[in-house]
Amino acid sequence: ADNDDKYLFFVTKQGTVKRTPVSEFQNIRSNGLKAINLHDDDELIHVAIIDDHQNMIIGTHNGYALSFDSSLVRSMGRAAAGVRGIRLRDQDFVIGAAPLNEDSNVLVISELGYGKQTPASEYPIKGRGGMGVKTVNVTAKNGPLAGLTTVQGDEDIMLVTDKGVIIRFGIESVS
């Protein structure tokens, strides 16, 4: 009853998004349920539990981000593959997604360990399927983006390097 107006919001590496009512996952068998049909060259990047008119933000490897109202993605069943969420430029792919609230900040982390926070207000809410706005300049110094999420400002962040080292820091230490 608590989940009647909740949805699972799926985002894939190739920019496909899907919104499915949580109620479709009430009776999960021991061998699981198919949640999304993925194309051969695609993989699931993020799943969030959201309300009906939640804004979402999607970030890409080459430093672009797109935000839109999740209700622009029609509700679909478990077997559906989804629709285009973000139109990707050549050689680009999705590295992160998150619900976007007006009082939150968008946190991006680059492959070379650089981080940046930006107020959510700097990301205009557009329609789905656009190419996004530049969220960070990808340079030889900072590298392409490895992750994007949203933060409130008082969290601790834990990152795992490609060598398996875990780093923990307070989000307030990221400019």
Side-chain angles (χ1 to χ4, degrees), residues 23-61:
S23 59
E24 293 230 2
F25 298 92
Q26 279 179 328
N27 302 311
I28 298 181
R29 300 182 295 268
S30 60
N31 62 344
L33 286 176
K34 185 90 169 165
I36 185 172
N37 275 322
L38 292 172
H39 299 288
D40 289 342
D41 60 341
D42 210 355
E43 60 189 77
L44 195 57
I45 293 292
H46 185 80
V47 181
I49 298 177
I50 62 167
D51 296 321
D52 193 21
H53 280 279
Q54 174 69 57
N55 290 331
M56 294 294 297
I57 187 163
I58 300 174
T60 75
H61 189 241

Side-chain angles (χ1 to χ4, degrees), residues 1 17 20 28 38 43 48 53 65 103 129-130 152 160 166:
V17 297
T20 303
I28 298 181
L38 292 172
E43 60 189 77
H53 280 279
D103 59 343
Q152 295 306 309
V160 181
I166 296 179

Side-chain angles (χ1 to χ4, degrees), residues 11-12 45-46 57-61 64 93-98 146-149:
V11 182
T12 75
I45 293 292
H46 185 80
I57 187 163
I58 300 174
T60 75
H61 189 241
Y64 292 90
F93 56 90
V94 174
I95 48 82
L148 172 145
T149 192

Side-chain angles (χ1 to χ4, degrees), residues 93-137:
F93 56 90
V94 174
I95 48 82
L100 184 66
N101 299 316
E102 58 189 38
D103 59 343
S104 59
N105 285 342
V106 176
L107 171 68
V108 292
I109 304 283
S110 77
E111 286 185 351
L112 296 178
Y114 288 85
K116 172 187 167 187
Q117 287 189 73
T118 308
S121 59
E122 293 194 22
Y123 294 91
I125 305 302
K126 301 283 190 176
R128 71 167 181 86
M131 295 182 88
V133 296
K134 191 138 229 13
T135 187
V136 69
N137 278 323

